[in-house]
Amino acid sequence: MHISIIGTGYIGSVTGACFADMGHHVIFVGRDQKKLDLIRAGKSPIFEPGLDQLLTKNRKNIETATDLSETVQRTDLTFICVGTPPKKDGSSDLSQVEVVSKTIGKSLGSHTKYHTIITKSTVLPGTAEDFIIPLLEKESGKKASVDFGISSNPEFLKEGTAVEDFFHTDRVVIGVQDQRTREILETLYSPLNVPIFTTTIRTSEMIKFASNAFLATKISFANEIGNLCKASGIDSYDVFTGVGLDTRINPKFFRSGLGFGGSCFPKDVNALIAHARSKGIDPIILHSVIETNEDQPRRMIDLLKKHLDPKGHTIGILGLAFKPDTDDIRESRAIPVIRLLLQAGAKVSVYDPEAMGNFRELFPDISYAVSGLEVLASDAVLIITEWKEFESLDYHGKLVIDGRRIEKALREAAVYEGMCW
Ligand code: UGA
């Protein structure tokens, strides 16, 4: 098939590269010429393991373009993969979705072939029906699910393992309102040989939010029980190994510690809270998920203060990315931790293998070390991200507060505090 991918961020670049690898002709459409040039050169515009190789290997199947209208005319499917950043009240900013929907609509007006538009951007339940479809119909003068196909197809990729997740996902969720679109999307995904759940568009939009909200809830639950474990001299990792053996519960996403960051969980849970409020529902559990998450950085500083007053001391930070194998620092727990340290009068020395460039823009005045080893020379060390290389540092004689459970630090440090163990 001929596929347009609108947006060269994390969802767009991974999805497009993976479709190209499945043998489809993919045209990436974006506004950022630098990113398009990288893609054309077979290089990933984001830090994501395996993506460079995939783009290089499939260069013959890949094109780039800046003219969305013309690209729609040349393709069968258009995936909307633009950003939906959070607004101040927690709801999603749909301005990019609006601009591209209008352009696609105009282009559809003079399109002779059947074309299908699929939303992969994370949008709240009802967005396709109440916002995207009306724009497409108005601009094209055509009817959705009759003259053109419309679908919602949320992604469940994790940064750092996104390529692997695409090909070996637990499920593909497809929201449609007509048989023809259903067949097109099911045919597209059938080579993956994974369960495909087809439902209404509104339901598929909700599945995305419910999935992320549940995973975030699981983590905050593990942290709440983990805090209790810590206060009771119990290792929460052993507790959740025991709990996770129950197949009704499963062991994944029970790693307690410093809490969740990233561009998805905090944003999506807050958006769901705003959505619930707009429907007159007070989402008590979701509020607590956020509150528990926001409290973990403070707990980390309290653990440090048990051993050392941060004032006037140099505190080392191992890890700035919101998780390993990415340079993404959005909502990273490093941000509140460092703010609290600076407020307490500490000097801060940080190291991350990939995320220092991004972090420098946010905190230009702290000290950026050249290695984890240099950070270890600080008066105390806080572990924020579980990068593999931190497993090979020498922690002997150090004061370590660990937010992510680095086993070597646990074994070697002179003074060691795990957050929930
Ligand atoms: C998350 C979801 O896992 C994906 O399924 C989803 O597609 C994606 O959001 C999205 O909506 O685009 P991602 O944010 O890339 O993926 O990363 P995760 O691996 O889920 O980690 C998120 C945060 O939770 C990280 O800060 C991580 O350290 C933390 N976490 C994760 C824990 O604290 N404990 C755990 O057990 C697991």
Side-chain angles (χ1 to χ4, degrees), residues 118-132:
I118 306 110
T119 309
K120 246 194 197 300
S121 303
T122 299
V123 294
L124 281 164
T127 305
E129 284 170 34
D130 303 339
F131 188 73
I132 299 175

Side-chain angles (χ1 to χ4, degrees), residues 155-295:
E155 55 84 25
F156 302 104
L157 313 173
K158 300 185 294 301
E159 283 189 35
T161 54
V163 172
E164 171 74 13
D165 289 348
F166 182 94
F167 289 112
H168 301 107
T169 181
D170 289 336
R171 82 304 205 188
V172 168
V173 172
I174 296 170
V176 284
Q177 48 191 24
D178 69 286
Q179 188 57 25
R180 184 170 182 180
T181 311
R182 177 186 186 137
E183 278 163 21
I184 291 170
L185 268 295
E186 288 183 354
T187 306
L188 177 72
Y189 280 109
S190 63
L192 291 184
N193 243 329
V194 297
I196 297 178
F197 180 63
T198 306
T199 181
T200 66
I201 291 180
R202 202 174 269 264
T203 309
S204 95
E205 290 167 336
M206 184 54 115
I207 288 171
K208 168 70 187 180
F209 278 89
S211 299
N212 273 1
F214 183 78
L215 291 170
T217 304
K218 215 173 165 188
I219 297 168
S220 276
F221 177 80
N223 286 335
E224 187 164 284
I225 299 290
N227 294 338
L228 185 56
C229 287
K230 175 79 183 171
S232 321
I234 298 166
D235 183 339
S236 70
Y237 270 57
D238 288 344
V239 169
F240 285 105
T241 302
V243 172
L245 284 170
D246 185 329
T247 52
R248 292 171 302 176
I249 299 178
N250 126 4
K252 291 178 187 164
F253 275 68
F254 263 153
R255 289 194 320 276
S256 55
L258 197 48
F260 57 81
S263 65
C264 306
F265 288 167
K267 172 180 88 103
D268 291 353
V269 175
N270 279 315
L272 201 52
I273 290 172
H275 183 64
R277 282 200 182 124
S278 76
K279 302 274 177 201
I281 291 167
D282 185 18
I284 298 163
I285 293 178
L286 298 183
H287 283 301
S288 318
V289 168
I290 296 289
E291 255 174 61
T292 303
N293 197 52
E294 283 177 357
D295 206 33

